CSV table of all heavy atoms in Angstrom, one decimal:
chain,number,residue,atom,x,y,z
A,120,VAL,N,85.7,-66.3,47.0
A,120,VAL,CA,85.6,-66.4,45.5
A,120,VAL,C,86.8,-65.6,45.0
A,120,VAL,O,87.1,-64.5,45.5
A,120,VAL,CB,84.3,-65.9,45.1
A,120,VAL,CG1,84.2,-65.8,43.5
A,120,VAL,CG2,83.1,-66.7,45.6
A,121,ALA,N,87.4,-66.1,43.9
A,121,ALA,CA,88.7,-65.4,43.4
A,121,ALA,C,88.4,-64.5,42.2
A,121,ALA,O,89.4,-64.2,41.6
A,121,ALA,CB,89.7,-66.5,43.1
A,122,ASP,N,87.2,-64.1,41.9
A,122,ASP,CA,87.0,-63.3,40.8
A,122,ASP,C,86.3,-62.0,41.3
A,122,ASP,O,85.2,-62.1,41.9
A,122,ASP,CB,86.1,-64.0,39.8
A,122,ASP,CG,85.7,-63.1,38.6
A,122,ASP,OD1,86.5,-62.8,37.8
A,122,ASP,OD2,84.5,-62.6,38.6
A,123,GLY,N,86.9,-60.9,41.1
A,123,GLY,CA,86.4,-59.6,41.6
A,123,GLY,C,85.0,-59.2,41.2
A,123,GLY,O,84.2,-58.8,42.0
A,124,LYS,N,84.7,-59.5,39.9
A,124,LYS,CA,83.3,-59.1,39.4
A,124,LYS,C,82.3,-60.0,40.1
A,124,LYS,O,81.2,-59.5,40.6
A,124,LYS,CB,83.2,-59.3,37.9
A,124,LYS,CG,81.9,-58.9,37.3
A,124,LYS,CD,81.9,-59.0,35.8
A,124,LYS,CE,80.6,-58.4,35.3
A,124,LYS,NZ,80.0,-59.2,34.3
A,125,THR,N,82.6,-61.3,40.3
A,125,THR,CA,81.7,-62.2,41.0
A,125,THR,C,81.5,-61.8,42.4
A,125,THR,O,80.4,-61.9,43.0
A,125,THR,CB,82.1,-63.7,40.8
A,125,THR,OG1,82.3,-64.0,39.4
A,125,THR,CG2,81.2,-64.7,41.4
A,126,VAL,N,82.6,-61.5,43.0
A,126,VAL,CA,82.6,-61.0,44.4
A,126,VAL,C,81.7,-59.8,44.6
A,126,VAL,O,80.8,-59.8,45.5
A,126,VAL,CB,84.0,-60.7,45.0
A,126,VAL,CG1,83.9,-60.0,46.3
A,126,VAL,CG2,84.8,-62.0,45.1
A,127,SER,N,81.8,-58.9,43.7
A,127,SER,CA,80.9,-57.7,43.8
A,127,SER,C,79.4,-58.1,43.7
A,127,SER,O,78.6,-57.6,44.5
A,127,SER,CB,81.3,-56.7,42.7
A,127,SER,OG,80.5,-55.6,42.7
A,128,GLU,N,79.1,-59.0,42.8
A,128,GLU,CA,77.7,-59.5,42.7
A,128,GLU,C,77.3,-60.2,43.9
A,128,GLU,O,76.1,-60.0,44.4
A,128,GLU,CB,77.6,-60.4,41.5
A,128,GLU,CG,77.8,-59.8,40.1
A,128,GLU,CD,78.0,-60.7,39.0
A,128,GLU,OE1,77.9,-61.9,39.2
A,128,GLU,OE2,78.3,-60.2,37.8
A,129,ILE,N,78.2,-61.0,44.5
A,129,ILE,CA,77.8,-61.7,45.7
A,129,ILE,C,77.6,-60.8,46.9
A,129,ILE,O,76.6,-60.9,47.7
A,129,ILE,CB,78.9,-62.7,46.1
A,129,ILE,CG1,78.9,-63.9,45.1
A,129,ILE,CG2,78.7,-63.3,47.5
A,129,ILE,CD1,80.2,-64.8,45.2
A,130,VAL,N,78.4,-59.7,47.0
A,130,VAL,CA,78.2,-58.7,48.1
A,130,VAL,C,76.8,-58.1,47.9
A,130,VAL,O,76.1,-58.0,48.9
A,130,VAL,CB,79.3,-57.6,48.0
A,130,VAL,CG1,78.9,-56.4,48.9
A,130,VAL,CG2,80.6,-58.2,48.4
A,131,HIS,N,76.4,-57.7,46.7
A,131,HIS,CA,75.1,-57.1,46.6
A,131,HIS,C,74.0,-58.2,46.9
A,131,HIS,O,73.0,-57.8,47.5
A,131,HIS,CB,75.0,-56.6,45.1
A,131,HIS,CG,75.8,-55.4,45.0
A,131,HIS,ND1,75.5,-54.1,45.6
A,131,HIS,CD2,76.9,-55.2,44.3
A,131,HIS,CE1,76.4,-53.3,45.2
A,131,HIS,NE2,77.3,-53.8,44.5
A,132,THR,N,74.2,-59.4,46.5
A,132,THR,CA,73.2,-60.4,46.8
A,132,THR,C,73.0,-60.6,48.3
A,132,THR,O,71.9,-60.6,48.9
A,132,THR,CB,73.6,-61.8,46.2
A,132,THR,OG1,73.6,-61.6,44.8
A,132,THR,CG2,72.6,-62.9,46.6
A,133,LEU,N,74.2,-60.6,49.0
A,133,LEU,CA,74.1,-60.8,50.5
A,133,LEU,C,73.5,-59.6,51.1
A,133,LEU,O,72.7,-59.7,52.1
A,133,LEU,CB,75.6,-60.9,51.1
A,133,LEU,CG,76.2,-62.3,50.8
A,133,LEU,CD1,77.7,-62.3,51.1
A,133,LEU,CD2,75.5,-63.4,51.5
A,134,LEU,N,73.7,-58.4,50.6
A,134,LEU,CA,73.0,-57.2,51.1
A,134,LEU,C,71.5,-57.3,50.9
A,134,LEU,O,70.7,-56.9,51.8
A,134,LEU,CB,73.6,-55.9,50.5
A,134,LEU,CG,75.1,-55.6,50.9
A,134,LEU,CD1,75.6,-54.4,50.0
A,134,LEU,CD2,75.2,-55.3,52.3
A,135,ASP,N,71.1,-57.8,49.8
A,135,ASP,CA,69.7,-58.0,49.5
A,135,ASP,C,69.1,-59.0,50.5
A,135,ASP,O,67.9,-58.9,50.8
A,135,ASP,CB,69.5,-58.5,48.1
A,135,ASP,CG,69.8,-57.4,47.0
A,135,ASP,OD1,69.8,-56.2,47.4
A,135,ASP,OD2,69.9,-57.7,45.8
A,136,TYR,N,69.9,-60.0,50.9
A,136,TYR,CA,69.4,-61.0,51.8
A,136,TYR,C,69.4,-60.5,53.3
A,136,TYR,O,69.1,-61.3,54.2
A,136,TYR,CB,70.2,-62.3,51.7
A,136,TYR,CG,69.8,-63.1,50.5
A,136,TYR,CD1,70.8,-63.7,49.7
A,136,TYR,CD2,68.5,-63.4,50.2
A,136,TYR,CE1,70.5,-64.5,48.6
A,136,TYR,CE2,68.2,-64.2,49.1
A,136,TYR,CZ,69.2,-64.7,48.3
A,136,TYR,OH,68.9,-65.5,47.2
A,137,GLY,N,69.9,-59.3,53.5
A,137,GLY,CA,69.9,-58.8,54.9
A,137,GLY,C,71.3,-58.6,55.6
A,137,GLY,O,71.3,-58.2,56.7
A,138,ALA,N,72.3,-59.0,54.9
A,138,ALA,CA,73.7,-58.9,55.5
A,138,ALA,C,74.0,-57.4,55.7
A,138,ALA,O,73.6,-56.5,54.9
A,138,ALA,CB,74.7,-59.6,54.7
A,139,LYS,N,74.8,-57.1,56.7
A,139,LYS,CA,75.3,-55.8,56.9
A,139,LYS,C,76.7,-55.7,56.3
A,139,LYS,O,77.5,-56.6,56.4
A,139,LYS,CB,75.4,-55.5,58.4
A,139,LYS,CG,74.1,-55.5,59.1
A,139,LYS,CD,74.2,-55.3,60.6
A,139,LYS,CE,72.8,-55.4,61.2
A,139,LYS,NZ,72.9,-55.5,62.7
A,140,ARG,N,77.0,-54.5,55.7
A,140,ARG,CA,78.3,-54.3,55.0
A,140,ARG,C,79.5,-54.6,55.9
A,140,ARG,O,80.4,-55.2,55.5
A,140,ARG,CB,78.4,-52.9,54.4
A,140,ARG,CG,77.6,-52.7,53.2
A,140,ARG,CD,77.9,-51.4,52.6
A,140,ARG,NE,77.1,-51.2,51.4
A,140,ARG,CZ,77.2,-50.2,50.5
A,140,ARG,NH1,78.1,-49.2,50.8
A,140,ARG,NH2,76.5,-50.1,49.5
A,141,GLU,N,79.4,-54.1,57.1
A,141,GLU,CA,80.5,-54.2,58.0
A,141,GLU,C,80.8,-55.7,58.5
A,141,GLU,O,81.8,-56.0,59.1
A,141,GLU,CB,80.3,-53.3,59.3
A,141,GLU,CG,79.1,-53.7,60.1
A,141,GLU,CD,77.8,-53.0,59.7
A,141,GLU,OE1,77.8,-52.4,58.6
A,141,GLU,OE2,76.9,-53.1,60.5
A,142,ARG,N,79.9,-56.6,58.1
A,142,ARG,CA,80.1,-58.0,58.5
A,142,ARG,C,80.6,-58.9,57.3
A,142,ARG,O,80.8,-60.1,57.4
A,142,ARG,CB,78.8,-58.6,59.0
A,142,ARG,CG,78.3,-57.7,60.1
A,142,ARG,CD,77.6,-58.3,61.3
A,142,ARG,NE,77.9,-59.6,61.8
A,142,ARG,CZ,78.6,-59.8,63.0
A,142,ARG,NH1,79.1,-58.7,63.6
A,142,ARG,NH2,78.8,-60.9,63.4
Side-chain angles (χ1 to χ4, degrees):
V120 174
D122 175 73
K124 185 175 186 225
T125 305
V126 168
S127 181
E128 292 168 5
I129 292 169
V130 168
H131 290 289
T132 299
L133 289 169
L134 293 172
D135 289 344
Y136 282 134
K139 297 177 183 169
R140 283 186 180 187
E141 63 271 11
R142 307 215 33 105

